[in-house]
Amino acid sequence: PRGLKGARHVFMATENNAPDACLDPVFLEGLDALGKAGLLWEFCCNPSMAPSLPICISKFPHMTFIIDHLAHNGNDGGEMEHWGPAIDAIAKLPNVFAKMGATEEWGVHNPGDYMDRAIAAFGFDRVLYESNWFVSEASGDAYDKTATLLHEACLRAGATEADLRKVFHNNACRVYSLDC
């Protein structure tokens, strides 16, 4: 359909949410079909799946992938010593973007540390801000909490005004092929 950009599957809400579920042959067939249609894929998964993501994504070098919530829905396998190397490996693949939001769901004491690691790995050209307003407000967080945390992380990484425009606007326009 006109305007369709891609698809997303919430792995945590399905029967097969194993750390290697993204390597299932039927799932890979689906990704292949999306790629052939020129559509992107957004991974919404627990951090325990992060180590399998580079294996999966490397099979589709001409397809765009987005890692929702920094692959940090909950903290199952999300300790920095496990999650960090996986994020570094994912970031080595040039067809992947990191979407940062939903910090209320990460289950970590300092989301800034995770943002810092992802910005260092992906750079400002492949990081996107994402709002999770209805969930964040239901969790008692202010609407702008994640935006503020990401802005602070960008500044810690030395972001210029142009870099901030990329993270908070331009990268979304580019990855989703929007007329911005």
Side-chain angles (χ1 to χ4, degrees), residues 64-138:
T64 299
F65 290 87
I66 299 167
I67 308 302
D68 286 349
H69 313 330
L70 284 183
H72 223 289
N73 288 282
N75 201 25
D76 173 26
E79 299 78 16
M80 185 65 78
E81 61 270 14
H82 301 291
W83 173 89
I87 282 295
D88 294 342
I90 295 166
K92 289 179 181 172
L93 301 167
N95 57 327
V96 184
F97 289 77
K99 200 156 69 163
M100 295 199 204
T103 55
E104 71 280 351
E105 297 179 32
W106 291 7
V108 299
H109 294 292
N110 188 358
D113 291 344
Y114 291 80
M115 290 179 170
D116 292 347
R117 179 77 176 249
I119 290 169
F122 284 90
F124 297 119
D125 289 330
R126 295 190 296 134
V127 169
L128 305 151
Y129 163 68
E130 67 173 318
S131 165
N132 202 32
W133 67 269
F134 60 93
V135 176
S136 60
E137 286 187 355

Side-chain angles (χ1 to χ4, degrees), residues 6-76:
R8 177 179 104 153
H9 173 73
V10 181
F11 277 95
M12 300 80 62
T14 63
E15 191 174 302
N16 186 8
N17 60 7
D20 63 351
C22 63
L23 302 176
D24 181 276
V26 174
F27 178 75
L28 295 173
E29 285 178 32
L31 284 182
D32 188 50
L34 286 172
K36 287 177 180 173
L39 299 172
L40 61 79
W41 178 259
E42 296 197 22
F43 276 103
C44 185
C45 60
N46 287 325
S48 61
M49 187 178 283
S52 296
L53 295 181
I55 300 164
C56 173
I57 293 168
S58 66
K59 297 176 184 298
F60 306 95
H62 301 296
M63 188 174 169
T64 299
F65 290 87
I66 299 167
I67 308 302
D68 286 349
H69 313 330
L70 284 183
H72 223 289
N73 288 282
N75 201 25
D76 173 26

Side-chain angles (χ1 to χ4, degrees), residues 164-179:
L164 292 171
R165 275 191 302 279
K166 290 176 188 177
V167 170
F168 287 93
H169 179 268
N170 297 353
N171 292 344
C173 294
R174 183 171 52 123
V175 75
Y176 292 112
S177 303
L178 303 174
D179 296 325

